[in-house]
Amino acid sequence: QVQLVESGGGLVQAGDSLRLSCAASGRTASTYTMAWFRQAPGKERDFVSSITWSSSSTRYADSVKGRFTISRDNAKNTVYLQMNSLKSEDTAVYYCAARPAMRSDYPYWGQGTQVTVSS
């Protein structure tokens, strides 16, 4: 079992930066692929970014490429999402998720953190 707790959300202005953190607990958490998803009001939850346990592979949604950077610190069991040049369309609840390497779905989710970007 893996528990995930996000933090770092808030209200910022367009063009600002914000860093989200996701603390994972569970003895195998450091071996999991970690990801960020987001859900805007009235919309489906969308993939934002993911990172493998070794940090050897990262993926990004086209909408955030060049602006967001995902990273992880396995010693701290924490994954980060650095968000730069924020836009109003980045406003959403951001969720951290985790999956074992052999699975394609994400069985573990955090409670979410709100990011609001004012224009």
Side-chain angles (χ1 to χ4, degrees):
Q1 190 73 9
V2 175
Q3 290 79 42
L4 305 173
V5 179
E6 303 97 332
S7 62
L11 172 63
V12 296
Q13 294 186 335
D16 285 352
S17 298
L18 206 58
R19 189 177 80 157
L20 304 183
S21 299
C22 173
S25 61
R27 63 184 180 89
T28 60
S30 63
T31 67
Y32 283 24
T33 291
M34 305 292 292
W36 290 95
F37 290 76
R38 66 186 182 185
Q39 187 168 21
K43 295 187 178 181
E44 295 186 350
R45 188 175 299 186
D46 291 330
F47 170 82
V48 175
S49 182
S50 66
I51 185 168
T52 55
W53 72 272
S54 63
S55 301
S56 62
S57 177
T58 58
R59 293 178 56 225
Y60 296 93
D62 288 343
S63 59
V64 306
K65 280 181 181 177
R67 299 188 299 122
F68 290 11
T69 302
I70 192 170
S71 61
R72 67 189 296 167
D73 184 338
N74 286 340
K76 297 181 178 179
N77 273 356
T78 301
V79 62
Y80 305 96
L81 185 68
Q82 178 67 42
M83 305 185 295
N84 298 330
S85 302
L86 283 162
K87 306 175 181 179
S88 58
E89 50 263 46
D90 295 319
T91 295
V93 177
Y94 283 72
Y95 296 91
C96 178
R99 65 172 177 85
M102 292 298 106
R103 289 184 66 161
S104 58
D105 65 314
Y106 288 86
Y108 304 109
W109 293 83
Q111 81 290 348
T113 186
Q114 177 70 48
V115 172
T116 302
V117 184
S118 63
S119 56

